Structure formats: structure tokens, C-alpha cells
Amino acid sequence: MTDSNASNSVETQKEFIVRLANVVGDGLLCVSIAMGIETGLFQTMIDLKEEHKTTQEIADAGDFKERYVREWLGSQVAAKIVEYDPKDRTYWLPSQRYAVAGTVKASAMIMAVPNLCAAFFDVAKCFKKDGPRGVSYDKYADFDELMAGMNQEFFKDCLIQSFLPSMPKLHQQLQDGIKVLEIGCSQGMSTRIIAQNFPNSQVYGIDITESGIKEAQEKATEAGLGNVHFIVMSATVLPSDWSETFDYVFVHNVLHDLPYPMKSLHEIMRVLKKGGTLSVIDTATYSKLEDNVAKIPTFARKGYVLSMMNSVPTSLNNVDGAGLGAMWGREKAQEMMKAANFDIISISSIPKSTSLHYQCQKM
């Protein structure tokens, strides 16, 4: 088969139809895998520890309806994820395939499909000239949880262990005690991790979603963290009395989603102390389509879809929203940070992530 990026002059119509059919098949399979994660079917099979079970036995083990389980198992056997013995009509999940639902990040990536498609028809209406400007975050019911799952690996394994120590001066300041602000903290996982590991510092997390902030505050209270503060707030207009208050501002894969990113950057500049540090972590993309297709083809294939289904419509849902999108690129990112008068100290890749770290300073 020809490469997926083959030009029309090389790929025949028959080859294209075959490729298209494979794309559709993979998309439908992803829905079935997501169903196995959401319902707990995969976990039920993992708990059965490779024991060969009938559809009824699997249904009983997880308290499911057998007829639905039977159809789901059919798709998983056809995809060679679940094994099947036709002699006794039993099913089992081999241990080497437990990873299908064995990690939070893997599960979150798969769950992105049904989560984003919850707003599919709303986004479709936005394409029309006389259609709505965009889509409200309310249409993505579990989006905060989805983001928490996708970011968990970096937050838990890298944030304290390698990311913050890569900035020695800031790391020492955090230990001594400074004021930290996270923009777009969602459920506050990273905010709480910073507060827990640097008890001398006061850490603030803001987000526009009330559900995310409520979850963040509840978990902070459960953990007994007295140095973390969560507030429902837009980054566009921060409190007037916050001017030159914070020593460090942390923005993780949020800037490209904001409706007014330049206003937010100017506000960050205002509330940051002179000499303070800004960390912007955002997608390791390029501002030109041809660069994304040539240099990061795998991420580009999914990145533009993720952007179309969430980043762009939620930003454009606001009057005069920028609609940057997840594929805005490093060139545009640097242009905007410089326009906000930040000095970009360094740009580096992030371990276990498809993002870049723009370390900036207010001079």
C-alpha cells in the first residue's frame, strides 16, 4: 500500500478507497475500545486474570447485560485484542494487552474520541456562515477529567523530579517560599503537587470551569494543603491588586485554548514581579501546515482534529475570540510572547510529552 501522504498522482482511486476504509474501521474500533474503558469491561477481564470465560460469565463478573457484552467482545476479538476459543466459546484478555486500559494516559487518549464527539453536531453547525460562533465548554462534560488523565504522567513523574529542577534558581526560590500562579489549572493536579512539595510557597490556581475548581479544592482539603488556593477566574482580567505579586507563573497547554491570549499574556506580565519567571508549556508544533505535515506527521494527523473539535470552537465561542488552535506553532508562540514584552530565556522539549517549554522572564 502507498504511504498515507502519497500524492494523487501516485495513489490510485482503489488504493485510496482501501485506505479510507481502514481509517473508518480504526475510528469505529476506537469507539469500542473506549466503551470497554468507560463501562469497566476491560478492567473486569483484567481482574479475571486470563481465565477463559463465556459471555454470560464475563457479564456476571462485571454486573453487565450479556447481550451488550457479547457484541462488544465480537469487536474486540475481530481486532485481536481479546482472544476467543470457538470450541467452548470462551474469551480472555492476554496479560500483555492489559495496557489497553492499564494506564491513565492510555485510557485518556482513547477516551478523547467520545469526549470530543459529544459536541460533534454542535461543532458542525459552527462551520456554516450563519451558524454559531463556537461551542461552550459545557458541551464537553468530562473534559477536565480527560485533561487530568492525559497530563497525569508529566505532572506525577516529571514536574517535581526534573522539570522544576531544570530551573535551579526558581527551584531554590520555591523551596525558600514564593508566590506561584497557575493559569488554567483545571482540576488542580499540578497546582497541588507544587504546593505539596514546596510548603513554604503559596500557590494559586485559576480556571473558568466551576466543576474543575470545585474538584481541585476538595482534593486540596482532603490532602490538608493550606498553602494552595483555587479560584474560578478568567486569565483575561486578573485582580487589580495582584500587580507584581507572583514570582512564578505556570501555564500548561492552555495558552492556545484561550479566547484572548494576548490579553492574558499582558495580564501575566502585570501580575508577575520584576525578574519573575513564566513557564509556558504548549504543543511542539509549527505555524505552517507544511512543516507540521513534514516534521511531525503522526501528531499532525490527530492534532488538527483535536484542535478543530475543541480548541478552536471553545475559543471562538467568545466574541472576537482568537481561535489560535492547538496547532498554532512555535513561531506564533514566540511572536506573541515577545509582543507581550517577555524575554524568552530558553525553549526546550518536555520529557514524556509532545510539548515545548518556553521559559520566559520579566526583565
Side-chain angles (χ1 to χ4, degrees), residues 105-166:
K105 184 174 182 180
S107 297
M109 290 172 62
I110 293 168
M111 292 304 296
V113 173
N115 187 290
L116 295 177
C117 283
F120 177 86
F121 294 104
D122 296 282
V123 174
K125 292 175 183 176
C126 296
F127 277 71
K128 298 292 185 179
K129 284 187 177 180
D130 60 350
R133 290 185 51 82
V135 178
S136 169
Y137 262 110
D138 296 339
K139 294 292 183 178
Y140 306 89
D142 300 317
F143 196 73
D144 286 336
E145 186 175 343
L146 175 68
M147 289 296 98
M150 294 185 76
N151 295 325
Q152 181 169 308
E153 187 176 27
F154 168 68
F155 290 158
K156 289 194 171 182
D157 298 340
C158 300
L159 182 60
I160 300 299
Q161 296 86 338
S162 58
F163 177 75
L164 291 173
S166 71

Side-chain angles (χ1 to χ4, degrees), residues 260-299:
Y260 312 110
M262 277 308 304
K263 288 184 179 180
S264 298
L265 282 171
H266 284 302
E267 281 293 272
I268 292 171
M269 171 64 76
R270 179 177 65 81
V271 303
L272 199 60
K273 291 181 181 178
K274 186 176 181 179
T277 301
L278 165 66
S279 283
V280 174
I281 296 177
D282 219 292
T283 55
T285 56
Y286 299 87
S287 297
K288 291 182 179 179
L289 171 63
E290 55 267 35
D291 288 334
N292 286 320
V293 171
K295 298 175 182 179
I296 51 169
T298 301
F299 184 80

Side-chain angles (χ1 to χ4, degrees), residues 220-240:
T221 301
E222 289 174 7
L225 295 174
N227 65 325
V228 64
H229 318 274
F230 292 104
I231 310 169
V232 178
M233 185 186 299
S234 167
T236 304
V237 183
L238 300 176
S240 58

Side-chain angles (χ1 to χ4, degrees), residues 54-117:
T54 65
T55 56
Q56 189 61 61
E57 289 172 329
I58 294 170
D60 291 342
D63 197 25
F64 302 116
K65 294 185 181 75
E66 185 276 338
R67 185 64 188 91
Y68 285 93
V69 171
R70 192 194 327 162
E71 212 69 6
W72 178 79
L73 284 167
S75 72
Q76 298 305 302
V77 171
K80 297 182 180 180
I81 295 175
V82 171
E83 293 295 326
Y84 173 64
D85 187 341
K87 292 181 181 179
D88 53 14
R89 296 184 178 181
T90 56
Y91 304 76
W92 69 98
L93 181 66
S95 59
Q96 72 270 21
R97 297 174 192 163
Y98 287 1
V100 70
T103 66
V104 174
K105 184 174 182 180
S107 297
M109 290 172 62
I110 293 168
M111 292 304 296
V113 173
N115 187 290
L116 295 177
C117 283

